[in-house]
Amino acid sequence: MNATYIRIDLLRQLRSIPTIAFTFAMPSFMYVLFGANTPYGDSMAGHANNKFYVMTSMAAYGAATAAVSIASMAATESMLGWGRQLALTRASTAQVAANKVAVATVVAMVAQGLVFGVGWSSGARADGWQVWLWTFVISLAGAALFAAYGMGVGLLFKSETAVGLASSSLVFLAFLGNVFTPLDGFMLKLAHITPMYGYIGLVRWPQLEGSLLQTGPEDPGSDALWVLLANLGAWTLVFVALALLGLRRARARQ
């Protein structure tokens, strides 16, 4: 990775008003709307209360959204000629991808950090600081997966709508992945093979240790750690391959 490229690109993103409004403000607003005033927010679920559960969900979704939106901008940059400039450098395809993923991950860290701050100030509580720390670290690490997804979609569907396509598709993946509301029955079984399921399950692991919240008459059971890791690992390989394929095709067109 190139530190100069990362610094310049990061400063450019932080000066963007749409980035600040959509990427930073939206996840915190969603937590305030759905979590801060929830009727059972102070009730415990595992090692933290329900406000912490909602905060975790919105922070993870916000981190993933930030990573997708920033990384998918690679398509727009390519159309504006920035891709040609990078093609003239010594940077390999993998290095260009790694630099963009690093920028997206830093932006995701800021976005989820804001959600955690709002959560703490509104009553989200856990049994210890370790729960907070590991939840934050796992959420941030997993967001890199969706940076690769955003880059791949943005470059393969090379158009001005690529960013919107990548970000909007994440909404459906989050719903199918058990992020927004606890699923049961067939929808829960389907969720196990979707990209967001392993990610959000690992993010919630410090609080729930694999347990699933019960919303219906049947006990949804729990997930083994290896199941969540296998889901995340498999989709990481798919999305990294997608990002590298998109970069190679973009360079071939140049």
Side-chain angles (χ1 to χ4, degrees):
M1 291 186 291
N2 187 288
T4 302
Y5 172 87
I6 293 173
R7 176 177 57 82
I8 293 174
D9 197 19
L10 183 60
L11 290 175
R12 180 173 64 87
Q13 299 296 341
L14 294 178
R15 288 196 297 265
S16 171
I17 294 178
T19 298
I20 295 175
F22 178 76
T23 306
F24 294 159
M26 187 193 69
S28 297
F29 174 76
M30 291 178 65
Y31 165 73
V32 172
L33 188 63
F34 298 111
N37 299 313
T38 183
Y40 304 101
D42 294 326
S43 300
M44 295 298 292
H47 298 292
N49 60 14
N50 285 319
K51 287 184 178 179
F52 187 92
Y53 177 89
V54 178
M55 180 200 73
T56 296
S57 302
M58 294 301 102
Y61 173 70
T65 300
V68 166
S69 62
I70 298 301
S72 61
M73 288 180 183
T76 303
E77 293 172 353
S78 179
M79 288 188 297
L80 294 175
W82 182 237
R84 293 187 178 89
Q85 295 294 324
L86 292 178
L88 296 174
T89 68
R90 297 180 180 178
S92 66
T93 299
Q95 288 172 327
V96 173
N99 289 333
K100 183 60 76 172
V101 168
V103 172
T105 303
V106 172
V107 175
M109 179 178 65
V110 176
Q112 74 173 40
L114 291 174
V115 179
F116 271 58
V118 174
W120 170 263
S121 64
S122 62
R125 296 293 182 267
D127 287 344
W129 64 266
Q130 297 91 340
V131 178
W132 286 86
L133 176 62
W134 282 112
T135 299
F136 188 92
V137 170
I138 295 171
S139 178
L140 181 61
L145 161 65
F146 295 97
Y149 167 72
M151 178 176 292
V153 171
L155 290 172
L156 290 176
F157 298 92
K158 188 177 179 183
S159 68
E160 294 180 355
T161 62
V163 177
L165 175 63
S167 299
S168 60
S169 64
L170 192 65
V171 177
F172 295 100
L173 294 178
F175 174 77
L176 293 174
N178 205 36
V179 176
F180 293 142
T181 182
L183 303 175
D184 56 14
F186 171 77
M187 292 301 296
L188 181 59
K189 293 179 180 178
L190 177 63
H192 280 75
I193 61 173
T194 62
M196 291 286 285
Y197 189 83
Y199 171 55
I200 195 64
L202 290 171
V203 172
R204 292 169 178 163
W205 187 271
Q207 177 183 2
L208 299 177
E209 297 181 346
S211 298
L212 299 171
L213 292 188
Q214 183 173 352
T215 58
E218 298 183 1
D219 183 3
S222 60
D223 292 314
L225 181 59
W226 72 267
V227 172
L228 302 175
L229 289 172
N231 176 284
L232 186 69
W235 282 108
T236 296
L237 293 177
V238 171
F239 290 159
V240 168
L242 187 71
L244 293 177
L245 176 62
L247 279 168
R248 289 195 180 104
R249 286 190 177 182
R251 286 194 165 188
R253 289 191 293 262
Q254 293 158 5

